[in-house]
DNA sequence: AACAGGTGTTTTATCGGTAAAAGACATCTC
DNA sequence: GAGATGTCTTTTACCGATAAAACACCTGTT
């Protein structure tokens, strides 16, 4: 992802219409669906939401999925779905949208992610460092580095002490590219989020920060 | 994802240690990092966060990444990162954690997603319906259906009117499997979210719902 | 100094996903 | 009613990511 955001769902990000010849619109409506799945295991059918007369927004797809589950299993505690499902669905839609500026620059998200890690830390990193920074496997980092060095965005330097180790840094071109893309990326994201009021954005960021802190600190323990 | 949550990041979900022989711990700490990338393009180094004396939580990794960017580009509007970055990172961690119960049942997330769609809608669906419901490509659905029918979880029935069309429904075994997994899944998710207070969970769900509604309604327009 | 064991990186095999094309069929128009 | 057009599903080719193995090298021990 942009050295700004997150996960790279399912490999490619697609973001186009599901099938070629299929003129069919995704059930929901305007947006080219495609990636990830929804909250409760898929999008919603159609159920739930008729637009209000004035063209006002109806509930989101996750709410509709929850309603479907409630109809099948009344009383089921679907609370977690309303958070986790929405986070996942938002992540899917956001990534798809965010990839647009990156692709214009000829970079995939994971690639930009790697470059961003080098840029923001300010110093050289080893492949292992980059794998941890970008939460990807070492093998994936090796591949990306090969492409990025070939493109002249990253430079390698062998460690003098330990010859197993490699140090990586951005070239001038790499640094310039990141610095050029980042503001565009952030502006785009600002636009994407513009539907939510400023104060609410702050609340949302704070709550997500709290959740993330909990998850980062605790998930290792829960994983059984 | 469980017919409960979201995107299936990078194909497999891994969730294990980055490299085999590497005893190295992910930089952050206990949790087996691996998937997606972080907000601003990777995790945080180490910077930012020392635990407070009492063992209290420090800021999340996204906050640290934002600080790194601010150091490099002072004044940059990193607001969007604090929301989008956290959503992506939360999604990555949650999916990883959520897969545990599913894997015990021998299902991948996309598979459970598909079964869940059949279960909650209550009626038969065509492959095209399922692709839209699960936000995946038709090809992916075809593959999954093949496996799931072979396992006896799903049944196919040709349409009598239109012989191109196939109708799918859960077998008894499929329905029982979904019904057995779902509560376990939800209980697990409840545990994962338990670090956040009840009222705050409600606020979070509401804000995410608002964001998601905006994204679902608007993203198609913005995608340029 | 040889060796056992551990760490950093790369390579290989494989899996799953998408895009695009192909196949099968319905429907609409003339 | 024949042909053109479009829809639904499956197949094919390819790409990217992971896991596991292979390499290369350091380091501590005897």
């Amino acid at each position: 992802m942009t050295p700004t955001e997150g996960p790279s769902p399912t490999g490619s990000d697609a973001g186009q219409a599901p099938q070629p010849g299929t003129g069919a619109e995704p059930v929901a409506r305007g947006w080219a669906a495609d990636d990830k799945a929804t909250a409760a295991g898929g999008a919603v059918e159609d159920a739930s939401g008729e637009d209000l007369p004035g063209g006002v927004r109806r509930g989101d797809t996750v709410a509709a999925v929850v309603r479907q589950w409630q109809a099948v299993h009344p009383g089921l505690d679907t609370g977690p779905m309303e958070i986790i499902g929405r986070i996942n669905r938002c992540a899917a839609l956001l990534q798809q949208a965010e990839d647009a500026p990156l692709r214009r620059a000829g970079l995939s998200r994971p690639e930009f992610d790697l470059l961003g890690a080098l840029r923001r830390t300010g110093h050289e990193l080893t492949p292992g460092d980059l794998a941890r920074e970008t939460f990807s496997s070492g093998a994936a980092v090796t591949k990306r580095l090969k492409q990025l060095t070939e493109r002249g965005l990253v430079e390698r330097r062998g460690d003098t002490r330990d010859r197993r180790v490699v140090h990586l840094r951005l070239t001038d071109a790499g640094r310039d590219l990141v610095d050029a893309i980042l503001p565009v990326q952030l502006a785009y994201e600002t636009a994407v989020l513009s539907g939510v009021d400023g104060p609410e954005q702050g609340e949302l960021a704070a709550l997500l920060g709290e959740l993330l802190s909990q998850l980062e600190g605790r998930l290792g323990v829960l994983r059984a």
Side-chain angles (χ1 to χ4, degrees), chain A residues 42-77:
Chain A
V44 92
E45 188 152 87
D46 196 352
S48 116
E50 49 289 297
D51 283 357
L52 305 183
V56 182
R57 268 294 90 211
R58 61 166 201 286
D60 60 273
T61 48
V62 171
V65 169
V66 167
R67 275 193 290 276
Q68 286 184 316
W69 279 120
Q70 284 293 347
V72 177
H73 287 299
L76 193 69
D77 176 16

Side-chain angles (χ1 to χ4, degrees), chain A residues 84 211-224:
Chain A
I84 299 181
L211 173 60
L212 184 52
S213 290
Q214 299 289 338
L215 292 177
E216 290 182 330
R218 167 162 334 197
L219 225 52
V221 186
L222 275 184
R223 99 168 357 180

Side-chain angles (χ1 to χ4, degrees), chain A residues 98-176:
Chain A
E98 280 164 16
D99 285 341
L102 290 186
R103 274 198 291 265
R104 276 197 280 268
L107 287 175
S108 71
R109 249 182 198 259
E111 285 169 343
F112 189 49
D113 214 12
L114 192 158
L115 296 177
L118 286 171
R119 180 66 176 121
R120 58 175 219 273
T121 59
H123 51 79
E124 295 184 331
L125 295 172
T126 68
D129 291 336
L130 285 167
R132 285 182 287 274
E133 287 287 334
T134 61
F135 297 93
S136 53
S137 69
V141 169
T142 296
K143 273 191 184 178
R144 280 170 212 144
L145 285 173
K146 197 161 91 177
Q147 294 207 3
L148 294 172
T149 50
E150 281 171 1
R151 281 209 245 170
L153 300 174
V154 169
E155 275 178 345
R156 318 177 56 109
R157 177 179 72 74
D159 188 294
T160 45
R161 304 275 185 169
D162 186 338
R163 282 181 301 181
R164 292 170 301 180
V165 177
V166 179
H167 295 276
L168 297 136
R169 70 181 149 199
L170 293 177
T171 61
D172 288 350
R175 186 175 38 66
D176 291 349

Side-chain angles (χ1 to χ4, degrees), chain A residues 70-89:
Chain A
Q70 284 293 347
V72 177
H73 287 299
L76 193 69
D77 176 16
T78 48
M81 282 187 192
E82 309 221 21
I83 293 178
I84 299 181
R86 286 191 176 111
I87 285 177
N88 284 327
R89 183 101 191 88

